[in-house]
Amino acid sequence: MIQFRDVSQQYEAGKPIIQNLSLNIEAGEFVVLIGPSGCGKTTLLKMMNGLIAPNSGEIIIKGKTIKDWDPIVLKRNIGYVIQQVGLFPHLSIEKNMAYPLDLQKTAAAQKQERARELIHLVGLDESYLKKYPNELSGGQKQRVGMARALAADPEIILMDEPLGAVDQINRAVLQDEIIRIYQSLHKTIVFVTHDIEEAIKLGTKIVVLNQGEIMEIGTRDDIVFHSKSDFAEAFIGNKGFLSYLNIVKIKQVICPFNGSAAEKDITLAVNEADPLIVGIRRCLENGVNKIGVRNANGTLIGAFDLGCLSRLKF
Ligand SMILES: Nc1ncnc2c1ncn2[C@@H]1O[C@H](COP(=O)(O)OP(=O)(O)OP(=O)(O)O)[C@@H](O)[C@H]1O
C-alpha cells in the first residue's frame, strides 16, 4: 500500500533528517512510528501524503509513484489526523466532519447522511452535529477529527500523535475506539506516537526510529522480546515489557484444568479478559502460583499459572 525505497530527506543542506529509509506497509496494517523527538516521524507522514517531497529515493502509494499522483486525488485517498485537530471554529461539527466531502462536491443530503454515520462511528450521538468546536472537550474534538479524516472513506489514515493532548483516562478510551474503528473498517493506518504503551497496544507493526533511520521493525512480540538493536532495546525496554503485560489478555495463556481435587477448590479467580498483569499481581499478592480464570458468565474455565506464561509464543 505504501512503500519507501531508499528515501532521504533534508530541510537544510548537510542536515539529513531521513536517511536511505526503506519501508513497506501492507494494506490493512496498523503501523506505529515511534522514536525520540526530532527523529523524523512527522516528516515521514508528510512524505506519505505528498506534503513534503523526498530529496532522493522513491515513495510508492497504491502501486504508483507519488510523483504521478494528482495531489488532490492523493489527499482524498489519505485521511490525516493531527494532535491539534484543526477544526474550523465557525463551522458546526456536522459541517466540519463533512468538509472533505465539500471538496468532492457531494450533494447536501448525502453529506448529512454521512455525518450521521460518522458521528456514531466515533462514539458520539447526533446531538453533537449542531454544536460548535468550542462546546466540545479535547477528547470529543479528537473524535470529530477522526470522523473528518474518515469522511471521504480513504483507504489510508495517517495519525500524527492524535492523542498527545488527551488526558490519560480518555486516551485509553480513545485508543480502544481507534482499535474498534480499525477492526471494523479495515483501513491502513500509520500512527505516530511518543508513548511506548500506545505503540504496543495499537500497532500490528511497530517501527522504532532514531535520527531518520529504522532501528527496529516488527510485531509487539518482536519489539519487546526479540530486539536486535541496542537502541530499540534501550528505548522500549522494561516499559515496553510492562505495557505488553498490560495489554495481552489472560485468555491467551490459560491452561485447561487437569481435574485435580485442588483445582476444584480454587476460589481465587480472574477474568479471561483481564490483562496478564492482573493475573501475575493476584498470584504475587496471595503467595500462590496458580489461580482460576472465569469467562464472562462467571464460569470457571481454566487456570492461570505463572508457568502458563511460557505458553506465549514470543
Ligand atoms: N520545515 C522544517 N524546516 C527545517 N527543519 C525542520 C522542518 N520541519 C522539521 N524540521 C526538523 O526535522 C527534524 C525532524 O522533525 P519531525 O517533526 O519529523 O520529527 P518528529 O520525530 O516528528 O519529532 P516530534 O516527536 O518532536 O514531533 C527535527 O530536527 C526538526 O527540527
Side-chain angles (χ1 to χ4, degrees), residues 11-12 17 35-44 46 160-161 192 194:
Y11 294 101
E12 293 165 38
I17 302 297
S37 186
C39 70
K41 304 180 290 294
T42 298
T43 302
L44 280 180
K46 287 184 174 170
D160 196 349
E161 296 226 44
V192 164
H194 274 106

Side-chain angles (χ1 to χ4, degrees), residues 234-245:
F235 189 78
I236 301 291
N238 288 339
K239 189 153 192 224
F241 175 60
L242 271 179
S243 305
Y244 186 94
L245 296 179

Side-chain angles (χ1 to χ4, degrees), residues 258-275:
N258 61 20
S260 71
E263 280 178 338
K264 291 201 178 96
D265 286 341
I266 280 181
T267 48
L268 271 174
V270 289
N271 296 316
E272 61 174 352
D274 283 332

Side-chain angles (χ1 to χ4, degrees), residues 242-288:
L242 271 179
S243 305
Y244 186 94
L245 296 179
N246 218 1
I247 283 153
V248 175
K249 306 286 182 221
I250 279 176
K251 65 180 164 204
Q252 277 183 245
V253 296
I254 190 168
C255 302
F257 278 140
N258 61 20
S260 71
E263 280 178 338
K264 291 201 178 96
D265 286 341
I266 280 181
T267 48
L268 271 174
V270 289
N271 296 316
E272 61 174 352
D274 283 332
L276 289 177
I277 205 160
V278 169
I280 296 170
R281 186 171 174 170
R282 206 60 60 77
C283 285
L284 297 181
E285 278 169 353
N286 291 283
V288 296

Side-chain angles (χ1 to χ4, degrees), residues 110-313:
Q110 235 177 310
K111 278 193 294 189
Q112 272 183 354
E113 179 58 31
R114 183 73 179 136
R116 270 200 295 276
E117 272 172 28
L118 288 166
I119 202 93
H120 292 296
L121 182 69
V122 296
L124 295 173
D125 67 58
E126 289 182 26
S127 68
Y128 285 91
L129 290 172
K130 298 293 166 222
K131 292 187 194 269
Y132 283 81
N134 66 357
E135 299 175 82
L136 269 56
S137 70
Q140 289 164 341
K141 280 187 208 157
Q142 206 45 264
R143 285 174 194 260
V144 175
M146 277 194 271
R148 185 180 55 185
L150 291 162
D153 202 21
E155 287 177 64
I156 298 169
I157 314 277
L158 308 179
M159 299 180 134
D160 196 349
E161 296 226 44
L163 309 181
V166 177
D167 67 80
Q168 205 55 42
I169 293 172
N170 278 309
R171 195 175 175 128
V173 173
L174 283 168
Q175 287 165 350
D176 291 339
E177 293 281 309
I178 291 172
I179 292 173
R180 181 181 59 75
I181 291 169
Y182 165 68
Q183 287 173 346
S184 65
L185 300 182
H186 311 290
K187 302 287 182 193
T188 305
I189 299 184
V190 188
F191 188 106
V192 164
T193 185
H194 274 106
D195 181 337
I196 291 168
E197 177 154 2
E198 188 161 85
I200 303 270
K201 180 170 175 182
L202 298 179
T204 60
K205 186 189 260 178
I206 299 163
V207 182
V208 182
L209 293 155
N210 189 35
Q211 296 184 346
E213 291 183 70
I214 295 178
M215 297 285 114
E216 188 90 47
I217 181 164
T219 62
R220 63 169 74 98
D221 285 11
D222 297 333
I223 296 288
V224 173
F225 297 107
H226 301 294
S227 186
K228 290 178 217 79
S229 124
D230 291 346
F231 175 86
E233 179 139 11
F235 189 78
I236 301 291
N238 288 339
K239 189 153 192 224
F241 175 60
L242 271 179
S243 305
Y244 186 94
L245 296 179
N246 218 1
I247 283 153
V248 175
K249 306 286 182 221
I250 279 176
K251 65 180 164 204
Q252 277 183 245
V253 296
I254 190 168
C255 302
F257 278 140
N258 61 20
S260 71
E263 280 178 338
K264 291 201 178 96
D265 286 341
I266 280 181
T267 48
L268 271 174
V270 289
N271 296 316
E272 61 174 352
D274 283 332
L276 289 177
I277 205 160
V278 169
I280 296 170
R281 186 171 174 170
R282 206 60 60 77
C283 285
L284 297 181
E285 278 169 353
N286 291 283
V288 296
N289 62 12
K290 190 182 232 180
I291 50 176
V293 178
R294 297 187 189 282
N295 65 13
N297 301 325
T299 309
L300 216 46
I301 53 166
F304 171 79
D305 182 321
L306 293 179
C308 288
L309 292 173
S310 61
R311 291 164 77 99
L312 281 168
K313 291 194 204 98

